[in-house]
Amino acid sequence: MRSEIAPRTGTAFTLAKGQRLTVIDPHGEQVADLLAFNRADVREVISSGRTLDYASRIYLTTGDKLYSNRSNVLLEIVEDDVGRHDFLLTPCSKDTFRIIYGDTDPHRGCFGNLAAALAPYGVIDDMIPTAFNCFMNVPVDGATGELRVDPPLSKAGDRIVFEAKEDLVIGLTACSALQSNNGSFKPIEYEIA
Ligand SMILES: [Zn+2]
């Protein structure tokens, strides 16, 4: 069954070990921030630092594993239509919009959406780390390390599929930041199998 996440919102759900989560960009150029917590102890969560260290790369795709802060594999990428995702930047937040966009009445962003959706599972704000940002396109200048946030390379219907390696709680958004999504807010779809 396919579920939709409305533009600028988020959700949370459980994913059992061995189940597969497919994240779909139905219209193209839309980012989805993904978090995974160990359901048995939500203090264990995906770790950008550990994952990129072990992969020795910043762009992850099919065959790559997402490690936790305790160095256990929580998810593995098993299919990927796009091949460009970000695991460097934190979920967009009120502060992102205040600091980068200068908004005076900022949206709560992916961070606020994730915090609200994950609260029933015992996750509090300060437990939210860098998300795996599906379809987010952040090229890095090889000489200076300068980051850019470019339009996603995802086209309508493109997907990325993850397999759960533990019983998990997943947080997932349709990202709320204009720059990440080439200037418009679109839905995200997902399926669990
Ligand atoms: Zn976002």
Side-chain angles (χ1 to χ4, degrees):
M1 196 190 73
R2 192 173 287 205
S3 304
E4 184 183 275
I5 302 172
R8 298 194 112 182
T9 71
T11 189
F13 49 86
T14 59
L15 188 70
K17 184 175 179 175
Q19 282 189 315
R20 288 186 171 201
L21 169 66
T22 302
V23 179
I24 303 136
D25 180 356
H27 302 297
E29 298 190 327
Q30 174 62 43
V31 169
D33 286 21
L34 171 82
L35 290 176
F37 296 82
N38 187 326
R39 200 193 309 177
D41 180 355
V42 292
R43 292 174 301 178
E44 182 170 21
V45 61
I46 55 167
S47 165
S48 167
R50 295 204 182 280
T51 300
L52 299 184
D53 190 1
Y54 304 149
S56 299
R57 269 183 291 112
I58 59 170
Y59 300 129
L60 305 180
T61 186
T62 307
D64 284 319
K65 299 168 170 64
L66 306 191
Y67 285 86
S68 74
N69 52 331
R70 297 176 188 169
S71 293
N72 299 310
V73 178
L74 297 188
L75 289 168
E76 181 175 340
I77 302 170
V78 293
E79 290 178 42
D80 180 9
D81 290 337
V82 179
R84 177 58 64 92
H85 313 280
D86 169 69
F87 205 8
L88 294 174
L89 303 184
T90 53
C92 64
S93 67
K94 266 177 122 128
D95 300 306
T96 312
F97 298 130
R98 179 175 57 81
I99 293 168
I100 295 184
Y101 294 81
D103 292 357
T104 49
D105 183 21
H107 189 274
R108 67 182 184 176
C110 289
F111 188 92
N113 288 331
L114 288 165
L118 289 161
Y121 297 96
V123 174
I124 62 169
D125 294 22
D126 287 341
M127 295 162 66
I128 293 178
T130 298
F132 183 83
N133 303 306
C134 304
F135 314 124
M136 189 175 186
N137 184 14
V138 182
V140 180
D141 184 287
T144 65
E146 184 186 358
L147 303 172
R148 285 203 324 271
V149 177
D150 278 359
L153 302 180
S154 49
K155 296 184 288 297
D158 280 349
R159 15 181 258 152
I160 180 170
V161 184
F162 302 87
E163 185 171 296
K165 297 300 181 181
E166 301 287 345
D167 290 335
L168 301 174
V169 175
I170 299 290
L172 190 65
T173 71
C175 177
S176 305
L178 274 175
Q179 196 182 5
S180 306
N181 305 295
N182 201 17
S184 68
F185 304 122
K186 300 166 289 291
I188 282 290
E189 296 177 349
Y190 66 96
E191 290 177 355
I192 296 169

